[in-house]
Structures are given as structure tokens and as C-alpha cells.
Amino acid sequence: VAQAEGRGTTRLFRPEMHRQVQDRQHREGELRHAVEQQQFELFYQPLLHAGAGHLAGFEALLRWRHPERGHVPPAEFIPLAEETALIRPLGAWVLEQACREAARWPGSLKVAVNLSPVQFVQGELLDGVRHALDASGLDAARLELEITESVLLRNSDETLLLLRQMQALGVQISMDDFGTGYSSLSYLRSFPFNKIKIDRAFVRTLADGKGSLEIIRAAVGLGRALNMKVLAEGVETPAELATLRAEGCDEVQGFLFSRPVPSAEAWRLIARDQNGRAPWRRNDALQ
Ligand code: C2E
Ligand code: MG
Ligand code: MG
Ligand code: MG
């Protein structure tokens, strides 16, 4: 198009495109370096039993410990890590690290790990999960793998096989961000998820009276009928929590209880949960 408009126009566009390519190459190089140098850290966010109000486990959430920019959230680097397939070695590290940490936690506390669609590579993913379990000694039943609907859109036969193989190892499979994807509900018939995590979008809009309550109610009904646990994400207020408990959600997660915290802080939360002094114990609705 620029060509058709004459040489002058072409020259005008070039420096900008050049800058974009350079910027992208720079970011990719920086990310590659970060993976090699292991500039990453897992934060942990509590998952609570809605009924009893005690700790069920934690979701592991990735942070990039950037030398200049501090802790960089996943939204700023996971897309690039996926485009470059760097998410494969990075995801393997996440699995190993999360399992190693959880193996040291007391009791039956679980750890939930997010998987990218790009990690669904025959052989590699199953080996990675097996390796993470073997190396850490973590009981497979304490590992939950979170996938989104987008995973099922890609090559779903192979994906379903992989999910079944991982479930056969004894790990739990959760459907993350439930209700936000574009795929049809029929995947719930082809694969027995152990848990669905209702997306924060529905919790956040509960008070609007525009259908979120009905969607959550339907999700809980589906969960009951299909024998899946139901967790609600993004709980920020006591009013939201009260509604979610009344609707029968099994588990809850959100800033009301705790933000994602570094490992040492997670350990303090575990201790406080055990001696009845955790923040969620002080919360009226979770007594
Ligand atoms: P997700 O798996 O749905 O994780 C929940 C996100 O919601 C986390 O953001 C968490 O901090 C945030 N959150 C939890 N409770 C609340 C709340 O009450 N209010 C609000 N406003 N936010 C809340 P985070 O840590 O930035 O992660 C964003 C996404 O990045 C995750 O969404 C997940 O899709 C992806 N992600 C994180 N870690 C990994 C990883 O190790 N591997 C892969 N592939 N993806 C990851
Ligand atoms: Mg998740
Ligand atoms: Mg989620
Ligand atoms: Mg989400």
C-alpha cells in the first residue's frame, strides 16, 4: 500500500517499522536471558474452602523479577513467552518449583498451576508433570492443573488425550476463567474436569443485577450435576462472599482474603490458618 502511494510514503513508514522490529527483538532477547538466568519467582494466592473457611491450598502465579522494573506481572510477558515458545521451558520450571514448594507444606494443602495452550506438546507436557511430581515427591492428588477453554479449541483430540493421561497420574484438572471463552459447553461432556473456576468477571458484576448471579447459579448447578467442584475467583467484598456461599460455591479466592504473596508470606498464612489467626478467620462471613 505504501509503495503504491510513492517512494516518499514508503520512507515515512520505514523508521517506525524498524523501531517496532528492534523493540520486539530486544524484548525477546531480554525474556530469553531471563529464562536462562531464572529471573522468575512464584507468588501464591490462597484458595479457601467456602464452607469451613479454612485454607484449601494456593494458586501459583508467575512473576518476572526484572533487574530494573521489579516484579513484572504475567500479562506483560506471557503473550511474548507464548509467541516465542519460551513458555515451554518456563512452564516446566513453574511446575517443578510449585511442586517442590507444595511438597513441604503441611497436610493436604494443594497447589494449582496454570498451563498455557502452547505447553500442550505430546510427550513433553506429560513428562514435565511426571518429572515435577517425582523430583518433589508431591502426592499427585495435591496438584491441580488449570487450563482455559482456549486449550480445547486447539487440536482437541490430542488435548483430550493429554488431559486424560495427566488425570490418570492422579492430578486434578481445573477449567480456569469459566464463562469467558468462546467454546461450547459440550467440552464438559467430553472431559471430566475436577473443578471449574468461575471467572472474576461474574463476581465483580454480581451487584449489577444483570445476570451474573444467574450465571453463577447455573455454574454451581452444572458443577453439582457433573461432579465438579466450583470455585469463584476475584472475591473482593464480604457481600460477594455471602452471595457465593449462599449459592453453594465450594471454594473462593480473591483479594478479600489475600493477594498473591511470596513463598515466605504463604508459609506465614499457613501457620496463621492453623492457629486460627488467618485474615480470613477475622472476616465475619468466614467464621
Ligand atoms: P488466572 O489464572 O485467572 O489467575 C488469577 C488472577 O487474578 C491473578 O492475576 C490474580 O492476582 C488475580 N486476582 C485474584 N484475586 C483477585 C481479586 O480479588 N481482584 C482482582 N482484581 N484480581 C484478582 P495475575 O497473577 O496477574 O495473573 C494473571 C494471569 O496470568 C493468570 O490468570 C494466568 O492466566 C496467567 N498466569 C499466571 N501465572 C502463570 C503461569 O505460571 N503460567 C501461565 N501459563 N500463565 C500464568
Ligand atoms: Mg489460574
Ligand atoms: Mg482464573
Ligand atoms: Mg483470570
Side-chain angles (χ1 to χ4, degrees), residues 176-177 199-200 233:
D176 204 355
D177 303 345
D199 194 76
R200 182 166 81 82
E233 299 188 305

